[in-house]
Amino acid sequence: MKEAVPLTEGWSLSHGEEPLPAQVPGCVHTDLLAAGLIPDPFLGAGELDVAWVGRRAWTYLRDLSAAETTGEEHERTDLVFDGLDTAATITLDGRELGRTRNMHRRYRFDVTGRHGRLEVDFASAYDEAASVRALTGARPNVYPEPFQYIRKMACGFGWDWGPTLVTAGLWRPVRLERWSTARLAEVRPSVSVHEGTGRVEVRVEVERTARGGGSPLAVRATVGDGLAEARGTVEGAHAALTLEVPDAALWWPRGYGDQPLHDLELTLVEEAAGPGAEERPLDSWHRRIGFRTVELDRSADEHGTGFTLVVNGVRIFARGVNWIPDDVFPSRVTPERYRTRLRQTADAGVDLVRIWGGGIYEDDAFYDACDEMGLMVWQDFLFACAAYPEEQPLRAEVEAEARDNVVRLMPHPSLVLWNGNNENLWGFRDWGWEPELRGDSWGGGYYLDLLPRIVAELDPTRPYTAGSPWSGSWDHHPNDPAHGTHHSWEVWNRRDYTEYRDSVPRFVAEFGWQAPPTMATLRRALPGERLAPDSPGMLHHQKAEDGNGKLNRGVARHFALPEGDFDRWHYLTQVVQARAIATGIEHWRSHWPVCAGTVVWQINDCWPVSSWAAIDGDGRLKPLYHELRRVYADRLLTLQPGDGGPVLAVVNQSAEPWQARVTLRRLRADGTEVAEQMLDVTVAARTVHRHAVPRDLAPHPRSAEEFLVADSDDLRSVHLPVTDREFAYPVPRYDVVVESPMGGGTGSVEVVVTAHTLVRDLLLQADRLGPDAVCDTGLRTLLPGERVRLRVTGATDTGANAVRAALFCVEPA
């Protein structure tokens, strides 16, 4: 059988000086950090101090012994790299094995019987990009960095939320593979369901040694523990076989059913040479699969052109988030870290994760976790915010990269959609690229021809869309909200978040609102700095164009902008971020099925930064995270403005009807009740019920002294006719009691808050009680006499004064 030997030990890193110990997988920056030769680029302005790293050449070194590459039991030894970042020349004992220029591909070299010094020489990514640009000519780009000329993680060159830290290194595992006669070079399982029967069509490519060219070979395959078996003969280098599982248990997105997974195992064998002889196993392959169907309904209707995911015949409103690399140094993201972040994502009510096109094709551990958690994956091909040349050498790299990753990822049932690019079709039409290009290639041939052909050939069970946003054809503007996917950025950039309600896109694939990270993250990332919105470290960790200006304008439209009070500014920016995203999602969910999904920008960060993320760069939860949990829950209660007064929308995305008893109350600012009415509403599964609020319960459209509240069980929606800065809030008064729960452990407390007035958007910032402290809830609005119990774990200071100092709420303007 084939033998795999990891090459994780014995590496060093050199750049003309004394070599340093190198960790593999890893990268130059992490090795320099481990050696104490560079400052942490995540702290202060350390990013600027290490800019030189990405502009130099680096060499990784290791000795390969004859014993490692030569053996009596195996005919062939291959050196396999799962990821080389990026432009590399590989030599062994002074002789070149090959050259690479793509971070997103796997590479294999025959090193049978060869030994000596193994060197992987990485050129500067900037030098490689410059050489390619000289061949292809320049192309427009949203950012002043050359990422479209090199097949490398684009956001490592800096983004409006990320640092410029251009990496190099052996970023994924390296190993030796020893084998004889033949090996499984490629396995492509197409999984489908037909009238209840699960079907797995497996296509196999085989590589043979010189001596193994005439050997009779076969492939055995099994699904699960005896669910199905099949055998196919290898003809030349190819084999195909089909397995069927009657009454297959279906894989469902979370919230729609279970996620049964089955082991698909293949064994390549050399058939018996004669009577009495036994067949000899040569190689094996194993993945987990799930049976499900997925379609993308892009039918035209009276509203435009739809974009609805349909899984196992069920139409789904996608509750999504955009995902960026969880670390700007992706080799540091372990399977455990993936699982933690994705568990947080699922716990926020999310059922779809879009892997954005400026990052990477994530490790298999990412997709394994999504398979288990029922998180649907929308996978971008890696093109973002730039015109990409289609000439050589890039075109061949793009095709090889796409083929490599489609084959690698296609076994995962969580993968439901391939997407050609991020914003490049929109950019070509709207951002001045078309006249600047003057007929030069820009990537359209990739998105509209090459990539859909590859998906159709290799992975025909999944839908493909050319880009996001994309209206489906050039007959409509690429970002037309009535057709296909839409990116809603005008609101954050120029408008008030209430203007999300001005349209009902068919599918909102990107929208977001910024806020700073948590206080504990800021204190760690900016040690010793006196924090202010415009302090040096805060400005360095704000990468968006006019980011602080947009934050301030977002606050000022609703609240008095605090002067000289950073704690208050920090709280209000968090409130506005959470409210902005909630406003959009509540509005768009209330218009299902016209709108069929929202994908928030973004769930995570790659370093500590002011950004659109719900989980900050240190992994701490911002108030937005808790608000996502509320607005992405199966059942949602929301009061929406309407032309004739407020409208109550009762959203039921669960599988069961909802018998909702809703209490509507019109209240004065001091808490006095003006009117009340009970509504009994039946909402069928996966539907929305809209109900006009009775006229006598609706506050006057410009009232600064009355508001409307809707309650059902533990759900609440609050409607103010005017902005917070115009509303006659009372000075908030509330009591705080800190209790130690039985068996809660050190640092576990329950904070009981009892309101004596209206207390709007009460927030306990648990990280102020200790860097590892977590509160189980986010923003809460209390009416006079109401009480809320907040559970905190991991606190180092649980005194009453500290707890009260960590509590914030809306105050009168």
Side-chain angles (χ1 to χ4, degrees), residues 606-622:
C606 64
W607 77 311
V609 64
S610 291
S611 85
W612 298 265
I615 304 172
D616 74 18
D618 280 6
R620 296 188 176 94
L621 309 179
K622 292 158 72 169

Side-chain angles (χ1 to χ4, degrees), residues 132 135-137 139 148-149 383 386-399 425 428 437 439-451 453:
V132 172
L135 293 172
T136 65
R139 299 292 193 280
Q148 75 262 53
Y149 307 104
F383 305 89
Y388 285 78
E390 297 176 40
E391 292 76 26
Q392 301 294 7
L394 287 177
R395 185 176 183 85
E397 289 296 338
V398 166
E399 179 164 359
L425 296 157
F428 176 73
L437 286 163
D440 286 345
S441 66
W442 55 279
Y446 296 148
Y447 320 134
L448 300 169
D449 180 24
L450 177 65
L451 295 175
R453 284 194 288 108

Side-chain angles (χ1 to χ4, degrees), residues 287-304:
R287 297 290 188 277
R288 290 185 305 173
I289 60 170
F291 293 104
R292 55 102 183 95
T293 62
V294 58
E295 303 164 82
L296 182 60
D297 185 353
R298 291 181 269 202
S299 303
D301 57 26
E302 67 272 25
H303 304 286

